[in-house]
Amino acid sequence: MLAVFGHQNPDTDAMTAALVYARLLQRQGVDAQAYRLGEPNFETAFVLREAGLEAPPLLEALPAGSPVALVDHNESAQSLAGLHELTVTRVVDHHKLGDLTTTQPAYLRFEPVGCTGTLLLKLFREAGLDVEPLDARLMLSAILSDTLHFRSPTTTPEDRDAVGFLAPVAGIEDVEAYALAMFAAKSDLGDTPAETLLRMDYKVFPFGDPAAPQQWGLGVIETTNPGYVFGRQAELLRAMDAVKAEDTLNGVLLSVVDILNETNRTLVLSATEEKVLREAFGVEAHDHVADLGARISRKKQVVPALEAYFSAQG
Ligand code: MN
Ligand code: MN
């Protein structure tokens, strides 16, 4: 049995890509099963509810040598613990290549598009398979989520074309209204504990010398209600301090992305992070907040700048 899963702290793309890719593989005769590596966030829970689906089962470990298919990620730091002992047979992803290695030839599909869902639609087409309404809804939701309904600079024409194709198949007439409902669900954070908010869309990246990399934890909260998040600034900074110690990080940042106004104001824990932001982005933090302007994409705008900065440190 092939276990299919997206990254830890799953987002809508990680969760739906596992479901859709497992279903696609099953139609091609592969014994595939979708899993998740964490709890669905509020947006993903909304998407699954609207689709009438349960989240796939939680995966905590697999025996060494088990075959796995990775979607929406490839770096071991974002994957199932012990990934290097598993047999990666397939990867479908739209992130930069990290430390991925395989023990045997694998099916690898990497393209710099805005969403794994866009790549999965291509796989359906290449396989000559029709797209069922459920799969269309899941891929469409993932593309709207990852591209912030085309606001993100990661958006490509292929993502727009995919949504144009998928919306009528999914039976979603008003894509704008559906996207806004997704973002509203994502922004309705209630009394979620601060550490949960920090870890909801959170990834650890190694930067600099590969032999002795710095580890940075980069959280993002995409919201239509940034005022709510900044109202909990003190709590969030305490959670960042705790997570920095728990995960033995060199730095931690939490970007608050205003989806509708397309801005990024980032919470900065200490002088260490302040210095890096000043030197990598030319921005000053005031009262633990740095204005990163229109850099709303961690993948395309924040991580590459940090990577370049730490590489240049030698
Ligand atoms: Mn993702
Ligand atoms: Mn994605």
Side-chain angles (χ1 to χ4, degrees), residues 171-216:
I172 293 175
E173 278 171 30
D174 189 340
V175 173
E176 174 73 24
Y178 179 69
L180 287 174
M182 282 174 48
F183 301 151
K186 174 181 250 180
S187 306
D188 187 10
L189 299 169
D191 54 3
T192 307
E195 184 166 334
T196 307
L197 291 182
L198 169 59
R199 288 193 186 272
M200 211 172 270
D201 181 0
Y202 170 84
K203 295 178 180 177
V204 174
F205 291 88
F207 291 127
D209 179 3
Q214 291 226 4
Q215 303 289 344
W216 279 61

Side-chain angles (χ1 to χ4, degrees), residues 251-264:
V252 60
L253 297 170
L254 178 58
S255 293
V256 183
V257 169
D258 181 332
I259 297 173
L260 300 180
N261 293 304
E262 302 175 40
T263 58
N264 174 353

Side-chain angles (χ1 to χ4, degrees), residues 226 229-234 236-237 240 253-256 264-270 273-274 277 283-293:
V229 181
F230 285 103
R232 299 184 60 185
Q233 179 171 335
L236 287 166
L237 285 165
M240 289 164 72
L253 297 170
L254 178 58
S255 293
V256 183
N264 174 353
R265 279 184 296 154
T266 291
L267 289 178
V268 184
L269 183 61
S270 74
E273 289 89 353
E274 270 185 45
L277 286 184
V283 299
E284 288 295 336
H286 302 285
D287 190 23
H288 294 283
V289 180
D291 187 345
L292 290 185

Side-chain angles (χ1 to χ4, degrees), residues 11 13 72 94-95 114-116 146 299:
D11 53 18
D13 192 26
D72 196 38
H94 65 125
H95 294 86
C115 180
T116 308
D146 266 12
K299 173 172 40 188

Side-chain angles (χ1 to χ4, degrees), residues 31-80:
D31 182 19
Q33 163 72 47
Y35 291 98
R36 62 184 161 88
L37 299 190
E39 293 308 308
N41 67 31
F42 292 115
E43 178 193 83
T44 309
F46 169 84
V47 167
L48 294 174
R49 201 161 55 237
E50 291 285 308
L53 279 183
E54 298 284 331
L58 181 69
L59 185 62
E60 284 172 326
L62 283 171
S66 301
V68 297
L70 310 182
V71 291
D72 196 38
H73 75 296
N74 67 83
E75 302 198 37
S76 60
Q78 299 164 11
S79 197
L80 190 66

Side-chain angles (χ1 to χ4, degrees), residues 6 9 29 39 44 52 63 115-116 148 165 184 195 220 242 247 259 278 291 301 310:
N9 308 316
E39 293 308 308
T44 309
C115 180
T116 308
L148 300 175
F165 172 81
E195 184 166 334
V220 178
D247 292 2
I259 297 173
R278 183 183 308 123
D291 187 345
Q301 294 167 309
F310 284 109

